[in-house]
Amino acid sequence: MHRYDDRAWGLVLSKALIAMSGGVDSSVAAFLMKQRGYDCTGVTMKLFNSDDIFDDIVARENTCCSLSDVEDARSVAFSLGMPFYVFNFSHDFKEQVIERFIGAYKSGATPNPCIDCNRYMKFDKLFLRAKVLDIDYVVSGHYAVIEQNEKTGRYLLKKAADVAKDQSYVLYSMTQEQLAHTLFPLGTLSKSEVREIAESQGFLNAKKRDSQDICFVPDGDYSNFIENYSGESFEPGNFVDLEGNVLGRHSGIARYTIGQRKGLGLSFPRPMYVKSINPAENAIELCENSKLFSVSVNAVDFNWISCDKIDSPIRVKAKIRYNHKEDYATVTQTAESSAQIEFDTPQRAIAKGQAVVLYDGDVVVGGGTIA
């Protein structure tokens, strides 16, 4: 069978492994790939055992990885005439996502487990499984665009057409090999168009609401999850000001994030915010809002996409959180996998553990973890 990469969506004979979560996005991605002539196989990744994580049925129903989600994915695959399988990656998910998540909070960082899930699960474990099965492409319902630069031959990751749904930020860690063998068929569509396609095909999940929470913490209570899952508790400690003066007591470092104001349990004559978290001393530093701003970001574990490296500083736009508005900055590569970003204007509440992602227009230049 002749195989070739036709990103103009012409007639193709390639095989595609569709990552199906049970949601409307991945279901429509599967439909579009079938429509374009790919030999498709649907797969849902079993990432954890719900009974090991959730204590109540409400929590299970709010997660994106429930048994009903698997059945929704299976139903759509069956309606499209696709083989469907469930791959058990629960051990890998525990090691690469959950334990990293817990470790970050213990170290005073603020993690983004969705980035780790994409990096270590979808585009590592699932990608390698596709290679073993001699399948050409991994396909997901992410809102992003992959294009190949005709002059350089490099694959580029670009923002989705639907800016409100763009997920390029959480995909910055993808390698050139992964980009070459990944397809995002929703990248040029709006969310409303995706739902219209699902309804036209009679998919049972056409109106299914999007999951807004971390799949293994559906109630949003991170500290409670960490204590229940690990069996460890976070001891109370001191709130201190910038001079080290004790202001009061906190209830455990995992219950706070950089920039937080509400829920401190203290009363001050002026608003105070979390500036830094020091796990070694079990202390949380508070400050006024004006002291939360800085211009410098040191990023490690950096992945360049639009180029192999940079030899001199370049101008970019950078964002320090998923919902953060990107802003102008200058980036300097400081080592093989690290970079220094200097913003033109101070940014509020830069948090260790979050990702900083760089853009040149719609193109992702690269990204790394804020250190």
Side-chain angles (χ1 to χ4, degrees):
M1 178 180 291
H2 175 66
R3 299 179 184 176
Y4 58 94
D5 181 356
D6 181 5
R7 290 177 186 269
W9 305 116
L11 179 64
V12 297
L13 298 173
S14 298
K15 294 182 179 181
L17 189 67
I18 320 296
M20 303 182 70
S21 65
V24 63
D25 293 331
S26 57
S27 297
V28 171
F31 166 74
L32 293 175
M33 296 303 294
K34 285 285 291 184
Q35 190 180 53
R36 290 160 183 165
Y38 285 78
D39 180 4
C40 297
T41 299
V43 58
T44 293
M45 295 185 292
K46 179 178 174 58
L47 300 179
F48 52 78
N49 295 313
S50 297
D51 290 341
D52 292 342
I53 294 179
F54 306 129
D55 293 328
D56 56 82
I57 193 66
V58 175
R60 295 191 191 100
E61 290 175 347
N62 288 336
T63 180
C64 68
C65 304
S66 66
L67 180 61
S68 63
D69 292 315
V70 175
E71 293 308 313
D72 287 350
R74 191 190 309 276
S75 172
V76 171
F78 179 80
S79 72
L80 294 173
M82 291 167 42
F84 177 81
Y85 302 96
V86 177
F87 293 162
N88 189 347
F89 291 138
S90 56
H91 174 76
D92 301 290
F93 188 79
K94 176 180 182 292
E95 183 179 87
Q96 299 291 357
V97 180
I98 295 180
E99 290 184 359
R100 287 176 184 273
F101 176 84
I102 294 173
Y105 270 106
K106 286 183 177 180
S107 68
T110 305
N112 187 325
C114 295
I115 290 175
D116 285 340
C117 186
N118 284 320
R119 180 174 187 174
Y120 298 108
M121 306 309 299
K122 294 184 179 72
F123 302 110
D124 185 4
K125 298 301 179 184
L126 188 60
F127 182 82
L128 292 174
R129 185 67 62 89
K131 290 182 69 174
V132 169
L133 296 173
D134 194 29
I135 294 177
D136 305 279
Y137 297 107
V138 169
V139 179
S140 76
H142 283 98
Y143 287 82
V145 173
I146 299 172
E147 292 180 358
Q148 188 174 23
N149 185 316
E150 294 181 359
K151 293 182 179 180
T152 66
R154 290 188 70 84
Y155 286 91
L156 304 177
L157 176 65
K158 303 178 70 175
K159 294 179 183 178
D162 188 339
V163 177
K165 296 298 294 182
D166 173 56
Q167 293 173 295
S168 60
Y169 174 86
V170 297
L171 299 168
Y172 78 84
S173 64
M174 293 185 70
T175 67
Q176 284 294 299
E177 183 185 13
Q178 291 166 349
L179 290 166
H181 295 279
T182 300
L183 298 173
F184 297 138
L186 307 190
T188 58
L189 301 176
S190 68
K191 183 71 179 192
S192 59
E193 289 174 318
V194 168
R195 290 201 182 275
E196 287 174 5
I197 293 172
E199 290 185 17
S200 72
Q201 298 304 307
F203 292 163
L204 77 170
N205 55 12
K207 296 182 178 180
K208 189 174 184 177
R209 67 187 182 92
D210 294 337
S211 175
Q212 300 295 325
D213 300 304
I214 296 172
C215 62
F216 55 91
V217 194
D219 63 357
D221 191 339
Y222 307 144
S223 58
N224 184 59
F225 164 77
I226 293 172
E227 290 183 336
N228 288 338
Y229 188 85
S230 67
E232 301 178 29
S233 60
F234 290 91
E235 296 299 321
N238 290 330
F239 283 119
V240 297
D241 63 17
L242 299 183
E243 287 72 43
N245 300 309
V246 176
L247 302 176
R249 299 283 285 175
H250 66 70
S251 56
I253 61 172
R255 303 184 192 281
Y256 306 91
T257 56
I258 305 302
Q260 179 178 336
R261 175 189 173 187
K262 296 181 179 179
L264 301 181
L266 299 174
S267 179
F268 299 100
R270 57 192 181 281
M272 297 289 279
Y273 302 82
V274 174
K275 180 175 176 60
S276 66
I277 299 172
N278 184 343
E281 298 182 7
N282 194 23
I284 296 177
E285 189 178 49
L286 303 182
C287 68
E288 297 180 49
N289 185 64
S290 62
K291 301 295 185 180
L292 284 175
F293 290 80
S294 57
V295 296
S296 297
V297 172
N298 178 30
V300 297
D301 199 16
F302 205 90
N303 181 55
W304 299 95
I305 293 182
S306 63
C307 57
D308 283 322
K309 61 178 181 177
I310 58 173
D311 297 318
S312 59
I314 62 172
R315 295 286 290 167
V316 294
K317 276 193 168 183
K319 62 189 303 184
I320 56 173
R321 284 182 293 276
Y322 181 72
N323 292 319
H324 178 255
K325 183 179 180 181
E326 61 199 55
D327 207 348
Y328 286 102
T330 299
V331 58
T332 303
Q333 185 169 349
T334 53
E336 182 178 355
S337 59
S338 62
Q340 185 74 24
I341 297 95
E342 297 290 331
F343 283 94
D344 289 6
T345 57
Q347 307 295 304
R348 185 182 185 278
I350 299 175
K352 181 178 76 169
Q354 289 283 292
V356 57
V357 179
L358 315 181
Y359 292 87
D360 179 7
D362 289 341
V363 177
V364 176
V365 176
T369 303
I370 296 172

